[in-house]
Each structure stands twice: as C-alpha cells, then as structure tokens.
Amino acid sequence: MHIQNHPDATDNELLDRFYEDGNNEWLGILLQRYTLLLLGTCMKYLKNEEEARDCVQQIFLKAITELHKYRVEYFKSWLYIVAKNHCLMRFRNKTVVVPVEEKREIGTEESNLEEIAGREALLQAMEDSLPSLNPEQKTCLTLFYLEKKSYREITDATGFTPMQVKSHIQNGKRNLRALVEKKIKNGHDRY
C-alpha cells in the first residue's frame, strides 16, 4: 500500500492503517488534513500567530505520542480537545512580566498595597479551608491548581475516571468558594 495512493481515505481508515502497522506516515496524512483547523483553534485562544504555529507543532507531537499509547475513535473531536486543552494549559502556565518602571509605580500606590493584602488574605483563607474538603476533592484541586497536572495525569495518579476528576475539581472549587465566603462573612479578623 502506497500512502500517496490513498488521498480519499477517511480518518478512520487512516487510523486503522496506523494501528495495524504503526507507520507514522498515516498520522502525517491525517494531521495534515487538520493543520488549518488546529491553527484556527490556537489563534482563537492565543491571539498570536507565531505562538499558535508553535502550538500546532507541539500538538502534532503530542498527538503522535498519545496515538501510539491508545486507540482513538473520533479523531477530529479528539484532536480539537487536545488542541483546546493545550492552549488552556499554556494560559495556566504563563507568568506575567512587569517592567521595572511599572514595578516602582505599583509599589508606591496605596490601593495596590490594599489589593495585594486582600489577595494574600484570600489565599490564606483558601489554604485554611482546603483541609475541610473531602479527600478526593482536596487531592484533585491540589494536583490541578498547585501542581499544574492535567486531567489525564490526575486520572493516572489517582485511579479516578476522567469524569470523577472533573467532578471532584468542579465540586471542590464550589465547596472551597463556599468555605472561604463563610470565613470572610463570619468576620475572622485575618480575612
């Protein structure tokens, strides 16, 4: 079978051929079909063409690695989710760089000091409230927000299903918010 002779092959046919013989060229054809979709998706989230192109390359590498590990049934949907999650993870991991001139201004404004103190109090309230969550929620929130693990990594580490991980994170966030609001409302001096 020559790959060039199969331009009309469906996504599933190309995936089946890849899973039969492990030839990455089948994936190359498949990924090439979705390059523009991926670029558009990345541009939507990142608003920067150079960064979006870089992401597309990283997503290609991730797709090739992941597809060797497990079978995917709906390639286009799966690839879109991988791209979306990759872009969102990039946002989570970004740090904001403030120029030195602006740092001096920030340090001198009283309202900014109050804002920083308020954020620190909120973070302290969150830290104090975290142990009150059930163990599953506490574990998933810690892994996701503090250790910056993906849903898949949390699933692998905990044995929870992806749906359980999502549920524990959502419920944990909601419960943590309620606990923090209760602490603040009850007028604890340090919050």
Side-chain angles (χ1 to χ4, degrees):
M1 280 194 283
H2 290 290
I3 293 173
Q4 293 81 7
N5 297 337
H6 300 285
D8 298 327
T10 66
D11 291 356
N12 284 342
E13 288 171 339
L14 290 169
L15 274 176
D16 288 343
R17 289 177 183 159
F18 165 73
Y19 288 125
E20 285 172 16
D21 64 16
N23 187 342
N24 282 344
E25 290 184 57
W26 298 117
L27 294 181
I29 294 171
L30 201 49
L31 291 169
Q32 190 172 19
R33 288 181 180 179
Y34 293 104
T35 302
L36 287 177
L37 173 76
L38 286 175
L39 186 59
T41 300
C42 293
M43 282 292 294
K44 175 180 146 186
Y45 287 100
L46 303 173
K47 311 283 191 238
N48 177 307
E49 187 175 349
E50 186 177 322
E51 201 173 346
R53 289 183 186 282
D54 183 44
C55 275
V56 169
Q57 294 303 315
Q58 292 173 13
I59 292 163
F60 279 177
L61 293 173
K62 183 174 179 74
I64 291 168
T65 303
E66 295 299 314
L67 289 168
H68 277 282
K69 294 179 188 174
Y70 58 89
R71 191 173 190 92
V72 169
E73 295 299 321
Y74 302 101
F75 181 78
K76 183 178 180 181
S77 302
W78 175 83
L79 189 62
Y80 174 78
I81 290 168
V82 169
K84 180 178 135 186
N85 288 342
H86 184 82
C87 291
L88 293 174
M89 288 293 288
R90 206 159 169 135
F91 277 131
R92 268 182 39 200
N93 294 330
K94 274 191 178 181
T95 55
V96 178
V97 177
V98 179
V100 174
E101 304 82 42
E102 290 182 34
K103 282 183 186 175
R104 279 191 216 114
E105 290 174 21
I106 288 173
T108 59
E109 291 183 24
E110 194 172 309
S111 64
N112 284 331
L113 292 175
E114 289 172 13
E115 185 180 321
I116 292 167
R119 261 190 259 145
E120 286 178 11
L122 180 60
L123 288 172
Q124 187 62 52
M126 290 171 73
E127 186 179 329
D128 291 347
S129 299
L130 194 61
S132 301
L133 296 175
N134 72 40
E136 295 84 4
Q137 292 173 0
K138 184 171 104 176
T139 299
C140 288
L141 285 178
T142 301
L143 291 172
F144 188 71
Y145 288 105
L146 301 179
E147 296 183 23
K148 302 207 182 297
K149 301 283 186 197
S150 68
Y151 278 32
R152 180 173 212 45
E153 291 171 321
I154 296 170
T155 297
D156 293 343
T158 62
F160 298 140
T161 67
M163 288 304 293
Q164 287 173 319
V165 169
K166 182 178 181 180
S167 176
H168 291 317
I169 289 172
Q170 287 177 341
N171 292 332
K173 280 187 345 188
R174 185 182 65 244
N175 293 338
L176 186 61
R177 185 178 304 119
L179 288 166
V180 169
E181 286 173 357
K182 185 177 177 183
K183 282 184 184 280
I184 292 170
K185 187 177 181 180
N186 287 340
H188 287 91
D189 290 352
R190 30 185 236 175
Y191 306 113

